[in-house]
């Protein structure tokens, strides 16, 4: 790494660290003031409160990182331009793109970090926070989170409908009880009713099985098969079913009948759901899911777009007050988030293709930033 790169990184990372730590401290302090009585009512200990905020931090960082990066970049670049350092570097034959390459690398790495947090930690953060909040209560929910009861799982891709009385995802073989399964075998629709099922070696093993011809009328048709053990290589895996359970919980909680664009559903779960339900999705639900999918792919790259926007605002020559960068960051953030919400609303409403709606803010600001960089003197 050249001496120039180290200097520019230092000038960026120091204000970035101060801004990030300062805003996190302010956020936690204000949140404590307004929610301390709730923690007291739930009898949380200091260690519980500390753990709660550790769980919250990824969600906070996903929202704050582009804002903090923009603020730090505008401050650092404006300070360099105010002291004519950028002018001196360019006069030595170093181009503006080369000067800003460390900033672009930082934006790229932060985008990857935001993507990882958004997919790995944020979606389950709400459930973990609820568990911590109920930890010290005498009437806390005794149910195991690995136990699911009365669940219906439909795989329209393969034409399977599972009705399960109880699923234990904590068991090594993902034990099910009280199973009723509709499937097709040799062109015949069959009901498979079993007392218990386990998943072993990519095969579902059913116990105490009765099979009925689903095409025959009658309240209780004669079984076509009765056996103690029946092995079937159905395509559904325990992991796939568990993701379907999580998806149903997230979707029903935050999106049903509300066109909510703030769902925290990981990309893997959305793709799994779309793969299993290729034909039975309503137009509204399909628009919502695809907009959410493309939105989750697009949102982390805001950090990289922020760099393209900050460079022309902060690197222009001339003596300016450093706080011009602060004011500029506020205006840019406001316009960006208005465009983001507008794009998602138009995507879920069917006025724009989902990928256009999700990528609209990044494309618009990226092109604008690139064009303004070319015009910097």
């Amino acid at each position: 790494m050249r001496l120039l790169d180290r200097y520019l990184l230092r000038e960026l990372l120091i204000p970035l660290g101060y801004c990030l730590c300062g805003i996190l401290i302010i956020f936690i302090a204000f949140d404590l003031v307004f929610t301390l009585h709730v923690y007291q009512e739930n009898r949380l200990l200091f260690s519980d409160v500390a753990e709660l905020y550790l769980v919250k931090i990824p969600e906070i960082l996903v929202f704050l990182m582009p804002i903090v990066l923009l603020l730090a970049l505008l401050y650092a670049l404006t300070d360099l331009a105010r002291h004519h350092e950028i002018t001196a570097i360019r006069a030595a034959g170093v181009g503006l793109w080369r000067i800003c390459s460390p900033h672009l690398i930082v934006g790229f790495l932060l985008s990857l970090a935001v993507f990882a947090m958004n997919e790995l930690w944020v979606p389950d953060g709400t459930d973990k926070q609820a568990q911590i909040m109920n930890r010290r209560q005498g009437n806390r929910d005794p149910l195991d989170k690995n136990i699911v009861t009365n669940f219906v799982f439909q795989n329209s891709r393969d034409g399977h409908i599972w009705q399960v009385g109880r699923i234990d995802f904590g068991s090594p073989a993902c034990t099910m009880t009280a199973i009723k399964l509709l499937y097709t075998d040799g062109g015949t629709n069959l009901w498979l009713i079993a007392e218990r099922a386990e998943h072993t070696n990519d095969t579902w093993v059913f116990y105490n099985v009765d099979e009925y011809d689903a095409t025959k009328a009658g309240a209780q048709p004669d079984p076509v098969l009765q056996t103690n053990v029946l092995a079937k290589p159905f395509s559904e895996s325990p992991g796939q079913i568990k993701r379907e359970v999580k998806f149903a919980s997230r979707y029903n909680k935050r999106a049903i009948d509300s066109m909510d664009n703030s769902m925290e559903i990981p990309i893997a779960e959305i793709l799994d759901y779309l793969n299993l339900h290729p034909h039975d999705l309503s137009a509204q639900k399909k628009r919502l899911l695809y907009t959410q999918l493309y939105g989750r792919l697009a949102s982390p790259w805001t950090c990289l777009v922020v760099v393209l926007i900050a460079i022309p605002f902060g690197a222009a020559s001339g003596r300016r007050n450093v706080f011009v960068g602060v004011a500029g960051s506020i205006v840019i953030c406001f316009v960006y988030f208005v465009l983001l919400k507008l794009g998602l609303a138009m995507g879920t409403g069917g006025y724009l293709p989902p990928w256009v709606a999700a990528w609209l803010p990044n494309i618009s600001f990226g092109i604008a930033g690139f064009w303004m960089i070319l015009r910097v003197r």
Side-chain angles (χ1 to χ4, degrees), residues 146 148 151 153 162 167-176 197-205 232 234-246 272 276:
N146 286 318
V148 177
F151 185 71
F153 172 52
W162 297 67
I167 311 175
D168 184 2
F169 290 110
S171 64
C174 185
T175 304
M176 295 183 180
E198 295 180 349
H199 190 264
T200 305
N201 296 327
D202 297 327
T203 301
W204 285 101
V205 181
K232 288 285 186 179
F234 292 128
S235 61
E236 296 84 359
S237 66
Q240 200 171 48
I241 296 175
K242 188 172 185 178
R243 288 193 294 271
E244 182 86 2
V245 171
K246 286 187 176 182
D272 217 13
L276 293 176

Side-chain angles (χ1 to χ4, degrees), residues 89-111:
I89 296 172
R90 296 182 69 184
V94 181
L96 184 59
W97 285 106
R98 178 63 186 86
I99 294 172
C100 297
S101 58
H103 305 145
L104 292 168
I105 293 173
V106 169
F108 177 77
L109 294 177
L110 289 179
S111 294

Side-chain angles (χ1 to χ4, degrees), residues 62-293:
V62 166
F63 174 74
L64 289 181
M65 190 59 73
I67 301 174
V68 172
L69 179 60
L70 178 62
L71 183 63
L73 269 170
L74 288 174
Y75 178 89
L77 291 173
T78 302
D79 192 49
L80 290 173
R82 188 165 64 97
H83 293 93
H84 303 293
E85 293 180 77
I86 293 180
T87 303
I89 296 172
R90 296 182 69 184
V94 181
L96 184 59
W97 285 106
R98 178 63 186 86
I99 294 172
C100 297
S101 58
H103 305 145
L104 292 168
I105 293 173
V106 169
F108 177 77
L109 294 177
L110 289 179
S111 294
L112 294 180
V114 168
F115 181 82
M117 288 188 290
N118 210 25
E119 292 300 307
L120 300 178
W121 293 294
V122 172
D124 294 325
T126 302
D127 292 337
K128 291 180 181 177
Q129 292 172 37
Q131 292 174 17
I132 296 171
M133 290 293 291
N134 296 326
R135 179 180 294 169
R136 306 296 173 180
Q137 291 183 344
N139 60 342
R140 63 183 183 274
D141 184 6
L143 294 179
D144 189 338
K145 297 300 181 181
N146 286 318
I147 303 296
V148 177
T149 58
N150 300 321
F151 185 71
V152 177
F153 172 52
Q154 181 174 354
N155 177 0
S156 61
R157 180 194 62 194
D158 299 327
H160 299 168
I161 300 177
W162 297 67
Q163 300 176 22
V164 185
R166 186 177 185 271
I167 311 175
D168 184 2
F169 290 110
S171 64
C174 185
T175 304
M176 295 183 180
T177 56
I179 306 105
K180 187 176 182 181
L181 168 62
L182 177 64
Y183 74 103
T184 302
D185 186 9
T188 302
N189 293 330
L190 298 173
W191 278 111
L192 186 156
I193 300 176
E195 180 182 305
R196 182 168 58 92
E198 295 180 349
H199 190 264
T200 305
N201 296 327
D202 297 327
T203 301
W204 285 101
V205 181
F206 299 89
Y207 299 91
N208 299 328
V209 180
D210 292 324
E211 280 194 341
Y212 300 89
D213 188 343
T215 61
K216 292 184 178 180
Q220 186 63 40
D222 294 331
V224 297
L225 175 66
Q226 289 182 317
T227 181
N228 292 331
V229 180
L230 178 64
K232 288 285 186 179
F234 292 128
S235 61
E236 296 84 359
S237 66
Q240 200 171 48
I241 296 175
K242 188 172 185 178
R243 288 193 294 271
E244 182 86 2
V245 171
K246 286 187 176 182
F247 180 93
S249 174
R250 300 186 211 275
Y251 185 84
N252 293 334
K253 188 185 301 180
R254 305 182 185 184
I256 191 166
D257 297 330
S258 68
M259 302 292 283
D260 185 8
N261 291 305
S262 62
M263 293 186 300
E264 296 297 349
I265 304 179
I267 292 173
E269 291 181 19
I270 297 176
L271 291 175
D272 217 13
Y273 189 85
L274 292 172
N275 183 40
L276 293 176
H277 302 270
H279 307 300
D280 59 342
L281 294 177
S282 66
Q284 174 181 329
K285 190 172 184 179
K286 185 178 292 187
R287 290 195 302 267
L288 178 63
L289 291 177
Y290 274 105
T291 302
Q292 173 75 189
L293 172 64

Side-chain angles (χ1 to χ4, degrees), residues 305-322:
V305 174
V306 155
V307 179
L308 294 175
I309 288 294
I311 290 172
F313 276 92
S317 60
R319 296 184 64 85
R320 290 173 295 164
N321 193 304
V322 174

